[in-house]
Amino acid sequence: MSETTAPVTAAASLEGSRVIAESPTARGRRARIALRVLQVVLALFYVVASALPKLIALPAAVESFDRMGWGSAGMYTIGALELAGGIALLIPVLQSVAAVALSGLMVGAFVVQLTCFDGENAATPLILMIPLALIAWARRRHTADLLRLLRLARRRA
């Protein structure tokens, strides 16, 4: 065999499909750090800036949910979902799933902004979906780990 027709091994084929954030190179290390910082910033945003005002019933949050007709039950539910999603962004096995779930929540927030608030802040949920999509994609292998854990737990039950 010539050098140009060397067989492709499984390891070599995985190298080509490896996400930069999983690469052992210096570039991969920087990408992992940047992704982790992004996750921490988003988690802080969802927990502190988004969920907390709803969970402690700040007047602005109460007014917004009353205007939508959802009342305090809707406010507390959305706040709890944002809190859970923000925390889950920091748990390795849940990162990708949390990013997808929070993206779904942002789709709902976008629709609400358009229909109930005349699009005042409709760009905010769309902007938040970009880094969430990046996290979901970059951490997608964690979803496979989560599925393995769930299958294992189901077999033991």
Side-chain angles (χ1 to χ4, degrees):
M1 246 192 229
S2 74
E3 291 177 38
T4 58
T5 59
V8 176
T9 64
S13 65
L14 286 177
E15 286 281 326
S17 67
R18 183 175 278 172
V19 177
I20 290 173
E22 295 174 358
S23 172
T25 64
R27 181 178 174 200
R29 184 173 185 276
R30 287 191 304 269
R32 279 192 307 278
I33 291 169
L35 191 60
R36 175 55 74 180
V37 168
L38 179 63
Q39 286 175 242
V40 169
V41 168
L42 279 174
L44 285 171
F45 169 79
Y46 278 105
V47 170
V48 176
S50 196
L52 192 61
K54 294 171 184 81
L55 295 174
I56 64 172
L58 283 181
V62 172
E63 181 185 327
S64 293
F65 278 85
D66 285 344
R67 185 172 167 189
M68 289 186 289
W70 292 14
S72 62
M75 180 180 67
Y76 290 126
T77 301
I78 298 297
L81 290 171
E82 290 173 341
L83 177 65
I87 292 169
L89 279 175
L90 302 175
I91 301 171
V93 76
L94 298 175
Q95 294 167 347
S96 181
V97 173
V100 170
L102 286 169
S103 293
L105 205 55
M106 291 301 97
V107 169
F110 174 72
V111 171
V112 166
Q113 287 295 325
L114 287 180
T115 58
C116 296
F117 298 102
D118 301 322
E120 286 176 28
N121 297 309
T124 303
L126 293 179
I127 292 168
L128 287 168
M129 286 173 59
I130 295 167
L132 288 170
L134 175 66
I135 292 166
W137 179 76
R139 303 293 194 200
R140 66 190 180 276
R141 287 190 177 173
H142 291 296
T143 304
D145 295 340
L146 178 62
L147 290 173
R148 269 187 245 113
L149 284 172
L150 291 173
R151 286 186 194 121
L152 182 62
R154 191 174 69 186
R155 283 188 211 138
R156 289 184 180 173

